[in-house]
Amino acid sequence: PNDRVVIGVSGGADSVCLLFVLLEYAHRIPLSVAVAHVNHGIREEAAEDARYVKELCRVRDIPYYLTETDVRKIAQEQRCSEEEAGRMARYEAFFQTALAFRADKIAVAHNSNDRSETMLFHLFRGSGIKGLGSIQPVRDNIVRPLLCLERREIEEYLKERDVSYCHDITNEQDDYTRNRIRHHILPYVEKELVAGCVGHMSQAADLLLQVEDYLERQTRKAMENCVENGDHCIILKADIFRQQHIVIQERILLNAVKSLTPFGRDITAVHVKALLNLFEGASGRSIALPFGIVARKEYERVILEKIRTGKNIAHEKGSRKTEGLEERYVNLNSAMEKPYVLALDETTDLWFSVFPCEEGREAPKNKYTKWFDYDKIIKPLTVRGRRQGDFLSINNGNGTIGHKLLKDYMITEKIPRCRREFIPVLAEEEHVLWLVGFRISEYYKISGHTKRVLQVQLIRKNRNGGENGRTY
């Protein structure tokens, strides 16, 4: 009750149905809704779609937010498909609209057919249980109320109510992999093999997500017994590790490797298999893994260690090395006109935006979007690894603000030593605004006197068709 919900409405059958369903639902439970529409700049009739959605909102007195973007340009810049670029653009628009509307939830219109198509896509490409679980009903603040419905049910709903909707001709083409699955594979299975296959696959996805949740709990429990955080490394006790089921062993290794990187990407089954073989090899053997990680066998231990290369952040003119990550300067002047993007690595960016602080507007309460009082920043900001002397401003609990060394904070928070130098630090000289992914400095927090806000977002670029385009 009383949630504020942004609804992604393209004008197609699914999203129009979602809008009408939530408007009906709002008669039972009080909701405040707004609509976000994205013009991808690809189809000539896209402007007409935008006008249709705007009229839907005008008649019903619903706040309407339009975002116009150039998906082809994004695809070229990100070196990804137009399909993936469009998905990235949509979610970026939805998140920005949610900030503007102060929304609690973002509702999108995926249905059971979308879920089945994604399941097959992941299966054909190669995926674990989580990938086969496909689209989740709830992920962070994103909800999918129509995931239980098939596309035919959605169209029947609109037909019964005599509601028109827009037709995207790109959905009728076979240019995209998912469209080929939609037009050829699923219809053939439904007609020739098993009627009701979409519903059956959706049920299987629910079961797989439950299994994934259970296995993750068991994995965390097993890791408490066989994993130690050493000095800049992770130590696996081989004798206890071997007692685990092979499924849990593989998950332990995957989690251990990912914990040595800030963002945990590009670790595959091939790397996990190589690690498993290391447990059975002779002492002294070692293998190299992505992100500069080296694994070695030492008697009854396998040790994972990240070798310090100083190359985790791409070099720019004027940068200088710090511990683990190179120093990069932030161009805040550019952030006043449009988001300034600083690439942390091949998969992750920091986005900086500056805008006026609206009265009564609260800072977002999520882990990877932070607000700072822009006018308290006097000297140039840098993104770098930690340095000796770095400190955070913290609340002492008696109404005063004191300083705490970043080193002491990391120890208090039990951040593994092998990760500490690879976590990005946003700082004004030695004063840390944000240990990215962790806490921010009390001094830079916005207040009732704040005139301008610096928003910093950690953005995960997605190039493999996966679901997470942003880290939140």
Side-chain angles (χ1 to χ4, degrees):
N2 299 311
D3 266 354
R4 297 175 67 83
V5 184
V6 166
I7 309 171
V9 181
S10 67
D14 297 346
S15 60
V16 171
C17 175
L18 175 61
L19 173 61
F20 278 82
V21 166
L22 289 184
L23 289 177
E24 288 187 23
Y25 197 64
H27 292 304
R28 308 182 202 173
I29 292 179
L31 301 173
S32 297
V33 302
V35 163
H37 178 82
V38 182
N39 182 341
H40 297 77
I42 294 178
R43 298 180 296 116
E44 292 182 1
E45 62 273 22
E48 186 60 36
D49 294 351
R51 284 191 289 270
Y52 169 76
V53 176
K54 183 177 182 180
E55 182 64 14
L56 280 179
C57 296
R58 186 193 66 79
V59 171
R60 292 161 183 82
D61 197 25
I62 301 171
Y64 168 77
Y65 294 82
L66 170 65
T67 299
E68 295 179 318
T69 187
D70 188 340
V71 166
R72 287 197 176 97
K73 183 178 179 181
I74 294 173
Q76 291 173 356
E77 292 175 348
Q78 300 295 332
R79 298 181 182 178
C80 62
S81 67
E82 287 185 5
E83 183 182 19
E84 173 61 12
R87 192 200 60 76
M88 292 168 57
R90 286 193 298 277
Y91 277 99
E92 175 60 26
F94 296 160
F95 283 116
Q96 293 298 334
T97 302
L99 287 174
F101 188 61
R102 301 195 302 277
D104 307 286
K105 304 285 193 307
I106 297 170
V108 291
H110 291 107
N111 57 52
S112 290
N113 293 72
D114 297 317
R115 199 179 200 189
S116 300
E117 293 156 12
T118 302
M119 177 187 283
L120 290 178
F121 179 75
H122 288 173
L123 177 64
F124 299 154
R125 188 185 59 185
S127 176
I129 292 175
K130 187 174 183 179
L132 294 179
S134 188
I135 303 173
Q136 301 174 47
V138 177
R139 178 173 61 82
D140 299 327
N141 65 332
I142 298 172
V143 296
R144 299 180 170 91
L146 302 188
L147 202 58
C148 58
L149 298 177
E150 294 184 31
R151 189 166 288 121
R152 60 173 178 80
E153 295 177 285
I154 289 171
E155 292 173 355
E156 289 170 3
Y157 172 91
L158 295 174
K159 184 177 180 181
E160 289 173 1
R161 287 157 179 77
D162 195 27
V163 176
S164 62
Y165 53 89
C166 303
H167 295 271
D168 185 345
I169 59 172
T170 60
N171 289 333
E172 308 302 322
Q173 301 168 354
D174 283 346
D175 295 344
Y176 302 135
T177 302
R178 294 174 191 272
N179 282 7
R180 293 193 287 273
I181 295 173
R182 176 181 303 169
H183 298 154
H184 304 291
I185 297 177
L186 279 178
Y188 178 83
V189 174
E190 178 75 28
K191 182 179 179 181
E192 302 293 340
L193 299 179
V194 180
C197 66
V198 169
H200 299 156
M201 293 174 71
S202 186
Q203 292 171 6
D206 286 332
L207 290 174
L208 288 167
L209 288 176
Q210 291 177 16
V211 170
E212 169 65 23
D213 180 66
Y214 172 77
L215 289 176
E216 185 57 30
R217 292 169 187 262
Q218 294 302 308
T219 301
R220 289 197 296 267
K221 185 176 179 180
M223 290 183 73
E224 292 175 1
N225 297 322
C226 67
V227 176
E228 292 182 358
N229 291 318
D231 186 11
H232 303 288
C233 62
I234 289 180
I235 301 169
L236 297 163
K237 303 173 187 175
D239 55 342
I240 301 177
F241 178 85
R242 292 192 190 98
Q243 297 173 15
Q244 310 301 320
H245 190 279
I246 183 63
V247 172
I248 301 300
Q249 288 181 356
E250 291 178 347
R251 296 175 70 93
I252 288 173
L253 294 175
L254 187 62
N255 286 356
V257 175
K258 286 185 174 181
S259 70
L260 288 176
T261 71
F263 316 113
R265 300 291 300 273
D266 302 327
I267 307 299
T268 69
V270 173
H271 303 123
V272 173
K273 180 67 173 177
L275 281 170
L276 283 171
N277 291 336
L278 195 61
F279 277 84
E280 306 307 321
S283 180
R285 284 188 58 200
S286 65
I287 59 173
L289 299 169
F291 303 107
I293 298 170
V294 172
R296 66 181 186 276
K297 177 79 176 293
E298 288 188 1
Y299 303 103
E300 280 301 294
R301 305 187 304 175
V302 169
I303 300 174
L304 301 174
E305 184 176 15
K306 185 152 186 175
I307 304 302
R308 302 182 190 183
T309 64
K311 295 180 180 179
N312 297 81
I313 292 182
H315 179 75
E316 274 191 356
K317 185 178 180 181
S319 68
R320 59 192 179 93
K321 290 183 180 179
T322 58
E323 189 175 0
L325 303 178
E326 291 182 359
E327 187 172 36
R328 303 277 297 282
Y329 287 91
V330 180
N331 188 344
L332 289 183
N333 290 330
S334 296
M336 293 183 177
E337 300 174 4
K338 61 180 181 179
Y340 172 73
V341 181
L342 188 151
L344 291 179
D345 54 34
E346 292 183 353
T347 63
T348 316
D349 293 335
L350 279 177
W351 286 39
F352 297 82
S353 305
V354 177
F355 50 83
C357 186
E358 298 177 6
E359 184 177 354
R361 187 174 174 184
E362 296 183 357
K365 295 180 175 62
N366 63 62
K367 190 175 180 181
Y368 295 108
T369 299
K370 299 300 179 184
W371 281 10
F372 305 92
D373 190 324
Y374 176 81
D375 294 298
K376 288 185 178 180
I377 302 167
I378 306 302
K379 298 177 181 179
L381 295 187
T382 60
V383 177
R384 53 175 174 77
R386 63 174 180 156
R387 277 195 212 140
Q388 185 175 0
D390 282 347
F391 66 90
L392 286 156
S393 295
I394 63 170
N395 194 324
N396 290 325
N398 57 4
T400 63
I401 293 178
H403 291 171
K404 184 168 187 173
L405 288 175
L406 184 60
K407 177 182 177 181
D408 294 339
Y409 169 77
M410 288 181 162
I411 293 172
T412 301
E413 294 300 309
K414 299 180 180 179
I415 299 173
R417 293 184 66 177
C418 51
R419 283 190 62 198
R420 294 174 191 171
E421 62 266 38
F422 300 101
I423 300 174
V425 173
L426 175 64
E428 182 181 21
E429 295 189 335
E430 286 77 31
H431 195 165
V432 176
L433 280 74
W434 185 21
L435 180 64
V436 178
F438 296 86
R439 75 169 297 161
I440 68 173
S441 173
E442 290 288 330
Y443 173 77
Y444 295 98
K445 284 186 175 180
I446 69 168
S447 68
H449 303 291
T450 300
K451 293 181 173 60
R452 290 182 291 181
V453 172
L454 168 64
Q455 175 180 275
V456 187
Q457 298 171 287
L458 184 67
I459 307 293
R460 177 177 293 172
K461 296 177 286 190
N462 190 329
R463 299 181 182 176
N464 62 2
E467 184 63 25
N468 292 327
R470 174 191 292 276
T471 304
Y472 269 107

